[in-house]
Amino acid sequence: MAKFIVMPKMGFDMREGEFSSWLKEIGDEVTKGEVVAEIESDKATLELETQVTGVLLATLVSTGDIVEVGANVAIVGEADEDISDLLDGAGGSAQESEDAPAEPKSDADAAPESETESEASAQEPTGTKATANEEFPDGVKATPVARRIAQDKGVDLLNVSFEGDRIRKADVEAHLAAGSPAPAKDEAKEKAAPAPAKMVVEPTQVKVGEDDTAVPASKLRQAIARRMVESKTTVPHFQVTMEIDMAPVLALREQLNEMLAEEGVKVSINDILVKAAGITLVDFPSINSSFGGDQMIQHNRINVGSAVATPNGLLTVVQKDTDKSTLGQIAKDNKAMIKRARDGKISPDDVSGSTFTLSNLGVYGVDSFTAIINPPEAAILAIGGIIEKPVVVKGKVKIGQRMKVTISADHRVTDGAEAAEFLVRYKELIENPMRLLV
């Protein structure tokens, strides 16, 4: 029996994604769990796995389509199986993908109407009007085709009457047929129930002249813009800097890589710094926390993220349970996640759940810098380069290997004294790195 492949939620905050490409063609056999398509979210290109086994009989979305979580994207069944009923249920032909349902369906949901039923029911508006709900795009629960028609015709969905669980194509058509005027955006918002405040980035109007080129921002770059403006305007940052002797770490890394060479594992300086952060956070639960308004949310797990430069922008891959993981495991995990990030094949689990982040620009020869906190985390550690310089040790000048680290912390959650104590403890571990192996 033929079944739909449904757009899954591939991240805790994901609501929709841009369809990138099909990796299978109509007529190909697919197995449950097999990757059949690629979806671009606001963080990376994600792999879409089929939830059913059979033959790919129809595709309901095309490259460039914005696909909402829960939408039907394809039909899988037996070869030569009649799928006309499913195509009607999906909202028309395989090419007309906009009528796929917009939100995940439960058993209690009614089956989506067919295109024929939609046209037949486009009489006069009945039912109730939508109220603003931050859970859905534009604050309204509606099918993709209803959104497209409303956008083309200048209809505010908040003013469309409907029956059932969402606004459909027939409801918008009935609204237009009745000659209902599209209210001004501000008037519709005043009538709607107030939605939770949401940080938005106002676009800067820049004139594009003959000597300029307008380059569309990727979804990742747009997400970075939103989050960084949110961080800098809502989180009271403060910074503390400390210099660390890196000679012991360099020596330990050389020994470890000699030991692990046969296993094909190579430990990087950043792997050691990540491990040290995980152990240090055990003693500083306030820094491994998030600000929750009238409460502090202390995270029971320590998951240290590492900022990675990708062609589309900065991405943070997350090492889970960093305090409990071995250096060898951290090296393997980070290497694999960084490769997936740069190849655009990251998985949702790779970039979710971080409680603290390291941003390392040492490879670029940066002496020191300050990083912007990644909300809802309480702090981020900026790592500079290892610099060979003259230092005074017990009254004598010698050549040392020094590195500066700067913690940016949320003053709502912690303060300067605790941040300084965190760096003192971090410095002790780095300068005595054998403790990281215990």
Side-chain angles (χ1 to χ4, degrees):
M1 179 178 178
K3 295 181 180 180
F4 288 114
I5 296 178
V6 178
M7 174 73 168
K9 192 171 186 178
M10 297 186 285
F12 77 96
D13 58 351
M14 181 176 176
R15 297 176 184 172
E16 62 183 17
E18 181 177 341
F19 194 84
S20 296
S21 63
W22 283 106
L23 303 181
K24 294 288 185 176
E25 296 181 354
I26 294 177
D28 288 349
E29 293 186 359
V30 296
T31 305
K32 183 178 180 179
E34 185 178 4
V35 176
V36 296
E38 294 180 338
I39 304 290
E40 184 183 353
S41 72
D42 60 0
K43 292 182 178 178
T45 299
L46 306 172
E47 295 179 335
L48 172 63
E49 299 178 354
T50 176
Q51 301 95 13
V52 292
T53 297
V55 176
L56 185 62
L57 302 177
T59 56
L60 307 176
V61 295
S62 303
T63 300
D65 286 351
I66 301 300
V67 186
E68 299 180 18
V69 168
N72 297 327
V73 299
I75 299 175
V76 172
E78 297 179 1
D80 301 324
E81 183 175 353
D82 182 6
I83 58 172
S84 56
D85 289 343
L86 288 181
L87 287 174
D88 287 340
S93 67
Q95 286 74 31
E96 193 166 9
S97 63
E98 293 89 355
D99 281 334
E103 284 78 32
K105 298 177 63 61
S106 66
D107 293 338
D109 284 335
E113 61 188 347
S114 69
E115 190 70 17
T116 303
E117 292 170 341
S118 297
E119 294 172 354
S121 62
Q123 305 297 327
E124 65 180 65
T126 59
T128 59
K129 293 181 180 179
T131 56
N133 189 329
E134 186 71 12
E135 181 181 353
F136 306 110
D138 300 323
V140 184
K141 190 174 185 180
T143 64
V145 70
R147 295 185 190 282
R148 175 174 57 78
I149 294 174
Q151 183 178 13
D152 292 344
K153 301 296 184 180
V155 174
D156 191 325
L157 290 175
L158 285 171
N159 217 44
V160 175
S161 297
F162 69 101
E163 292 181 349
D165 63 339
R166 73 199 73 197
I167 297 174
R168 301 179 185 277
K169 175 184 177 182
D171 301 316
V172 180
E173 290 176 339
H175 179 84
L176 290 167
S180 303
K185 199 70 173 180
D186 290 341
E187 293 175 359
K189 287 184 178 178
E190 289 176 2
K191 295 178 182 178
K198 184 178 180 180
M199 176 62 62
V200 296
V201 179
E202 294 296 336
T204 301
Q205 298 298 322
V206 179
K207 184 177 180 180
V208 178
E210 295 181 357
D211 296 329
D212 303 318
T213 301
V215 180
S218 66
K219 285 187 172 290
L220 176 57
R221 178 54 62 188
Q222 293 175 43
I224 292 171
R226 289 194 303 269
R227 291 178 63 79
M228 293 303 96
V229 169
E230 175 188 356
S231 181
K232 290 297 285 186
T233 56
T234 64
V235 179
H237 289 55
F238 72 89
Q239 286 82 27
V240 181
T241 301
M242 189 169 288
E243 189 172 88
I244 299 176
D245 180 7
M246 291 297 291
V249 161
L250 294 173
L252 175 64
R253 176 177 177 260
E254 185 177 352
Q255 295 176 38
L256 287 174
N257 286 337
E258 288 179 359
M259 292 171 53
L260 299 173
E262 293 183 359
E263 300 177 25
V265 178
K266 188 173 183 180
V267 178
S268 69
I269 296 296
N270 194 72
D271 296 330
I272 297 174
L273 298 177
V274 166
K275 175 63 176 179
I279 294 178
T280 304
L281 287 168
V282 172
D283 297 328
F284 294 89
S286 293
I287 295 179
N288 195 56
S289 301
S290 298
F291 181 72
D294 59 350
Q295 59 185 351
M296 307 300 175
I297 302 171
Q298 293 188 351
H299 304 296
N300 295 325
R301 297 176 69 183
I302 295 175
N303 302 330
V304 178
S306 297
V308 179
T310 73
N312 289 326
L314 206 62
L315 198 64
T316 299
V317 298
V318 185
Q319 170 64 42
K320 305 296 194 299
D321 299 314
T322 314
D323 55 319
K324 301 173 183 177
S325 301
T326 64
L327 269 173
Q329 188 62 51
I330 291 173
K332 290 179 182 178
D333 291 347
N334 279 340
K335 180 180 179 181
M337 289 190 293
I338 290 171
K339 185 180 187 303
R340 288 195 292 269
R342 290 176 174 161
D343 290 345
K345 306 294 185 182
I346 205 76
S347 72
D349 188 59
D350 290 343
V351 294
S352 63
S354 61
T355 61
F356 185 85
T357 297
L358 263 67
S359 181
N360 190 341
L361 293 181
V363 67
Y364 299 103
V366 174
D367 184 13
S368 65
F369 69 105
T370 59
I372 303 174
I373 296 171
N374 185 26
E377 297 170 20
I380 185 170
L381 194 63
I383 308 294
I386 300 174
I387 308 297
E388 191 174 64
K389 58 188 291 188
V391 295
V392 178
V393 180
K394 296 181 180 180
K396 296 182 179 180
V397 178
K398 57 180 293 186
I399 300 298
Q401 304 281 349
R402 295 292 191 267
M403 179 185 76
K404 288 183 179 179
V405 297
T406 300
I407 186 171
S408 296
D410 184 346
H411 223 320
R412 299 171 300 177
V413 175
T414 185
D415 53 37
E418 184 173 40
E421 291 172 358
F422 174 90
L423 289 186
V424 169
R425 173 61 175 154
Y426 189 70
K427 176 183 172 76
E428 289 175 350
L429 282 172
I430 296 296
E431 294 183 348
N432 297 276
M434 291 300 291
R435 298 180 183 182
L436 302 177
L437 306 180
V438 178

